[in-house]
């Protein structure tokens, strides 16, 4: 009966009863086991002095800066003081402008975000993009109605800010003033930043398409020195700028006033202080970790090796990735991925040819998009080149703060060089997508499916698994990612990766009606008493889960003597997880993926193959009547 009432619990019960969340972590599960394997491999590479070449030199130099606590303790908080003193000396709007437009202060937590990426309407060209800053409570809606997740973030910033600022020389009263001013500016910004819920609306991507030439951008920003900031970045090159939220940029002159200088200064100060907290001496580092853990309910300390790896990966993603590819990537893995991807794409073609609610015109465009999908499997053909980067190590009196600044400056220069140049869609950009991460993704901007090497271990994949286990493991991920091309987000991009409407109006309406039914069904989930679950928030990921499962079951039906029990069990095993309550609160509030138990039960119960194989009947917990099922494809 248990199997028919809660399949996820039936498969994972023994594991759940004995699972322990590791020290310093917020969760445990199959994905976390894969992450642990990846971390252990990366730690071994980070510490392997026998490795040679520029990538290895950079990694070992940074690892020494991170791991030599005696050296860091001798420096104390001194490396952060020039940054803090520069901020403390700001006493006028002119001084704020001077700070924002000084290249030496690059990436110092500006009140807007400047980046370079493929143009949304012409994805063959790189363009400068201007977006809104990261709010401390994560969502502008939190500033009008605080949720449980918002309270957690507020407590975290308040406690961390108080500690780090006093460590950097502020009195407790001064620290409280800085934090109060920082949140005051955050709240003013939030009035002009769209709430996260709008990101899940059908027209979200088209709302981002706001283009300005330099004169228009200057007029939009009024007294805010936006062109001077772009010039400091090296981003003033292009003649077109993509502004994701023009209303925010237009509101900046209201915020950028002499009266608000204390708010602007203290907002930048708090963000700068917190960004440096883990780069300083052991006392500061350990206290920052202790405060974060206490707020989030995490027990135990993260190991020094894990902490060091986190820093090295954050600053040297491409050099670390290159070392991983050379040490751990195998052709057999790539071939297995290409085989499963080929099977799923072939199914999707048959499905799109036969789905009864699409017109021939839209069907043709959808198949054209599928046929043009790029495949990046496991590792790139050509490794990224960071030979132009260097920074001072221990022998040269270097510091983590200085190394951090050098890397950020280098990355900004790499971005600046891309503006107005052609995007090579066939080149795997390791800066934005590292091979060595537990992830897979569909990228709508170049219409590509990307299965990364770091995810290929544990319950997701090993070379000796049966075909059914591979299909239920990594196949679940592959089917899911390909389905993203045809979810409510991916459907807004065409075969070349441009935001474009390739749907007939009646087909698009039918598609969204099906998606709305799915979202409404998920609204009914109550993961714990008092929780509000948002079906719209998880809509795209659920469409992908269900589309992927449908594809895998169609592939299974073509196999002789397919072991459905092994397949269903593996797909349930992949999503097992235990987590701390605070983590679950933030996950439910912010994650676009459904909670993992839903990814098992809510997905499998949509399909006759699952219902029929286990003899599930009306009245069983896993039974959903055919008319109540919500799979979009």
């Amino acid at each position: 009966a248990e199997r028919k009432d809660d399949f996820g619990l039936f498969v994972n019960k023994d594991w759940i009863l004995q699972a322990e969340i590791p020290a310093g972590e917020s969760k445990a599960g199959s994905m976390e086991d894969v992450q642990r394997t990846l971390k252990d491999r990366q730690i071994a590479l980070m510490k392997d002095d026998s490795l040679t070449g520029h990538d290895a030199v950079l990694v070992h130099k940074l690892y020494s800066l991170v791991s030599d606590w005696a050296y860091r303790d001798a420096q104390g908080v001194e490396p952060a003081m020039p940054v803090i003193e520069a901020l403390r000396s700001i006493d006028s709007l002119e001084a704020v402008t001077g700070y924002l437009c000084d290249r030496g202060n690059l990436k110092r937590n500006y009140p807007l975000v400047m980046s370079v990426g493929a143009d949304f309407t012409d994805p063959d060209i790189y363009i400068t993009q201007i977006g809104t800053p990261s709010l401390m409570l994560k969502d502008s809606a939190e500033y009008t109605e605080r949720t449980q997740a918002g309270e957690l973030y507020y407590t975290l910033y308040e406690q961390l800010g108080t500690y780090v600022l006093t460590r950097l020389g502020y009195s407790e009263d001064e620290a409280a003033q800085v934090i109060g001013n920082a949140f005051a500016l955050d709240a003013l910004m939030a009035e002009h930043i769209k709430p996260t819920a709008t990101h899940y609306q059908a027209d979200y991507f088209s709302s981002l398409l706001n283009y300005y030439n330099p004169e228009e951008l200057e007029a939009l920003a009024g007294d805010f020195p936006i062109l001077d900031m772009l010039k400091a970045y090296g981003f003033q090159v292009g003649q077109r700028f993509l502004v994701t939220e023009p209303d925010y940029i237009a509101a900046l002159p209201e915020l950028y006033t002499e009266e608000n200088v204390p708010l602007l200064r203290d907002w930048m100060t708090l963000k700068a202080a917190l960004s440096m907290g883990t780069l300083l001496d052991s006392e500061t580092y350990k206290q920052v970790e202790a405060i974060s853990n206490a707020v989030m309910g995490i027990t135990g300390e993260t190991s020094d090796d894990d902490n060091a790896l986190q820093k090295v990966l954050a600053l040297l993603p491409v050099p670390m990735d290159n070392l991983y590819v050379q040490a751990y990537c195998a052709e057999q893995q790539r071939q297995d991925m290409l085989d499963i991807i080929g099977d799923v794409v072939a199914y999707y073609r048959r499905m799109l040819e036969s789905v009864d609610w699409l017109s021939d015109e839209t069907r043709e465009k959808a198949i054209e998009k599928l046929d043009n999908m790029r495949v990046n499997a496991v590792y790139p053909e050509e490794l990224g080149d960071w030979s132009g980067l260097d920074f001072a190590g221990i022998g040269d009196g270097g510091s983590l703060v200085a190394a951090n600044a050098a890397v950020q400056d280098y990355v900004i220069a790499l971005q600046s060089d891309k503006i107005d140049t052609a995007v090579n869609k066939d080149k795997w950009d390791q800066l934005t997508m590292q091979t060595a991460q537990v992830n897979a993704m569909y990228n709508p901007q170049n219409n590509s499916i990307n299965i990364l090497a770091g995810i290929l271990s544990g319950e997701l994949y090993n070379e000796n698994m049966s075909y059914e286990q591979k299909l239920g493991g990594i196949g679940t991920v592959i089917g899911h990612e390909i389905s993203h091309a045809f979810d409510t987000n991916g459907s807004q991009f065409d075969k070349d990766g441009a935001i474009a409407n390739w749907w007939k109006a009646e087909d698009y309406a039918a598609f969204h009606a099906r998606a709305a039914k799915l979202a409404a069904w998920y609204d009914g989930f109550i993961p714990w008493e008092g929780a509000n679950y948002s079906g719209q928030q998880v809509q795209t990921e659920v469409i992908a889960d269900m589309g992927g499962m449908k594809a895998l079951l169609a592939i299974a039906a073509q196999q002789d003597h397919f072991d459905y029990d092994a397949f269903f069990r593996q797909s349930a095993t992949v999503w097992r997880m235990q987590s701390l309550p605070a983590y679950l609160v933030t996950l439910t509030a912010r994650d676009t993926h459904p909670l993992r138990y839903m990814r098992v039960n809510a997905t499998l119960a949509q399909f006759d193959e699952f219902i029929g194989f286990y003899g599930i009947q009306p009245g069983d917990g896993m039974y959903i009547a055919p008319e109540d099922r919500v799979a979009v494809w």
Side-chain angles (χ1 to χ4, degrees), residues 305-363:
D305 279 347
D306 277 10
N307 286 328
L309 178 65
Q310 191 179 2
K311 283 285 168 285
V312 172
L313 287 174
L315 296 189
L316 299 176
V318 174
M320 271 298 290
D321 212 40
N322 291 346
L323 298 183
Y324 188 86
V325 171
Q326 290 158 343
Y328 289 107
C329 290
E331 186 55 37
Q332 174 66 46
Q333 296 170 338
R334 176 182 270 177
Q335 199 51 56
D336 276 352
M337 295 311 104
L338 291 173
D339 289 347
I340 296 174
I341 291 167
D343 288 344
V344 174
V345 168
Y347 156 75
Y348 247 100
R349 202 173 205 289
R350 294 195 304 275
M351 185 271 286
L352 289 168
E353 285 168 353
S354 63
V355 68
D356 58 8
W357 52 271
L358 282 183
S359 68
D360 289 344
E361 188 180 323
T362 302
R363 186 191 322 279

Side-chain angles (χ1 to χ4, degrees), residues 54-133:
H54 188 68
D55 290 330
V57 168
L58 290 176
V59 166
H60 295 143
K61 192 190 293 190
L62 185 61
Y63 173 59
S64 295
L65 280 171
V66 175
S67 61
D68 190 330
W69 285 112
Y71 182 77
R72 286 174 68 172
D73 287 345
Q75 290 184 324
V77 298
E78 196 52 43
M81 294 318 293
V83 177
I84 294 302
E85 284 159 7
L87 284 159
R88 285 194 92 154
S89 69
I90 289 174
D91 58 1
S92 66
L93 198 61
E94 185 183 3
V96 176
T97 300
Y99 184 87
L100 292 177
C101 300
D102 180 347
R103 187 172 176 84
N105 297 324
L106 286 179
K107 285 285 190 183
R108 295 276 191 249
N109 303 291
Y110 289 169
L112 49 75
V113 172
M114 296 175 280
S115 60
V116 175
D119 189 355
F120 281 123
T121 50
D122 182 6
D124 294 326
I125 294 292
Y126 285 109
I127 190 172
T128 300
Q129 301 172 1
I130 299 169
T132 58

